[in-house]
Each structure stands twice: as C-alpha cells, then as structure tokens.
Amino acid sequence: MIRRPVAWVVAVVLFAEALGVAMLNWIMGNLVDAQNMSLAGLDPDAMSMSSKIGGVVFGLYFALCALVALLVAVRDRQPAGLGRVLLISVAVVHGLLAAAAWALIGRSQFVFMVVMLGLIVLLLVTYDAQRGPAAAGPRNTEGPGGPEGAEEPRESQGAEEPQDSQAAGGSPLTPPPAPTTP
C-alpha cells in the first residue's frame, strides 16, 4: 500500500532537512563571528555560539524524527508513544515553517513545507485505521450465555439475583437505566 513509501520519503527528507538546518545555522554562526556583527548590543560571540548550538539541537530534533519515520518504514507498524508525539510535533513545526516561508521566502518553499506537512500527516493517519481490535471488524458477541461465553449451570437456591447488566434490564451495548430522583 502507500504507507511504507510515504514513511521512507518522510525519513529521507527529514534526514536531509536535519543536515540542511544544522549546516545553515553553523554557516550563519560563522558569518556572524567573522564579521563581528551585533544585534541591539548583543555580544557577537554569544550570537555566534547560540546560532551554532541552535542549529545542532534543531538538526538533532529533525534527525530523531527521521529515525522514527525510518523505524515506521522498516517495521511497517504505526508509531507509538514518544515516536508518535515526535511526528505530530514535526508536523506542527512544518506548518509553522510553511507560514513563515510564505511570508518571508517564497511560494516554492511554502509548497515544499506544505507537501512535507501533508506527508507526515498521511504517515500518521494511514496507520490509524489498523489501531486496536475494533478495526478487525464486528464480532458476534451473542452466543450461549452472552458475551462472556457459556454459563455453567448452577443450582437454584430460592430467589435468583440478576448476574449481569443484561439480566438487570440493560443490554451489552447500553447501560441500565439511570435512577431518577423523586
């Protein structure tokens, strides 16, 4: 189906973005350092170092998200836990970067970010259809004794008490009626 190729494309592009973001911020830090630039009186060395550290951190974030997408592609299973959170957060980041690209850079970069956003969302959504036993289809829960299985015969000792919600007036799908106040 489409899930594995989408996961592979997302992984490759996120690895490329990780490398690109880290290199771009490193180059910008070197330019600030070489020209001894200052912004509103900030220390140029602090600006240079913060640009380099930010580039490395953001590059590692993209690389970690790419690793999650790569694991999804290799295993052909939906991401779970922290991996799912990382993919959702990188989708949000691409949405924000798309808005900034539209305003500052241009339409082609905006289209690239929106396509990446769409691929990440597609990666997350295509695996949602397989989640849990409910996706396997409807099961026949009716049988001897109801959904719990076959009941064992028991000896009658006077008045019988209802055993489950079905005997108390409810059904397996609806709860028993709520009590009313006078």
Side-chain angles (χ1 to χ4, degrees):
M1 200 180 255
I2 193 171
R3 294 183 305 239
R4 284 186 115 170
V6 167
W8 280 108
V9 168
V10 167
V12 168
V13 174
L14 282 176
F15 274 127
E17 283 184 12
L19 184 63
V21 164
M23 283 179 37
L24 178 68
N25 280 342
W26 196 269
I27 291 171
M28 293 299 284
N30 285 339
L31 287 174
V32 167
D33 195 27
Q35 293 183 2
N36 205 12
M37 292 185 195
S38 177
L39 180 67
L42 293 174
D43 183 29
D45 292 332
M47 289 175 54
S48 171
M49 187 57 68
S50 64
S51 176
K52 290 176 183 178
I53 291 172
V56 168
V57 168
F58 207 50
L60 288 175
Y61 166 71
F62 272 148
L64 185 62
C65 294
L67 181 66
V68 170
L70 183 67
L71 289 174
V72 167
V74 169
R75 294 178 181 167
D76 197 23
R77 290 189 326 191
Q78 68 181 1
L82 180 63
R84 187 168 183 81
V85 170
L86 282 172
L87 287 177
I88 290 170
S89 69
V90 82
V92 170
V93 166
H94 276 85
L96 294 172
L97 288 175
W102 177 264
L104 300 174
I105 303 172
R107 291 186 178 122
S108 61
Q109 289 80 9
F110 169 76
V111 169
F112 171 75
M113 289 295 167
V114 169
V115 167
M116 269 307 291
L117 171 66
L119 286 174
I120 295 168
V121 169
L122 184 64
L123 173 66
L124 289 166
V125 171
T126 55
Y127 282 98
D128 277 347
Q130 295 180 354
R131 179 179 288 179
R139 295 181 301 191
N140 184 9
T141 59
E142 297 299 320
E148 290 83 29
E151 288 183 5
E152 295 180 17
R154 61 182 192 139
E155 297 178 22
S156 174
Q157 298 178 356
E160 291 189 20
E161 297 178 18
Q163 288 192 354
D164 60 0
S165 63
Q166 196 171 11
S171 71
L173 299 177
T174 59
T180 58
T181 57

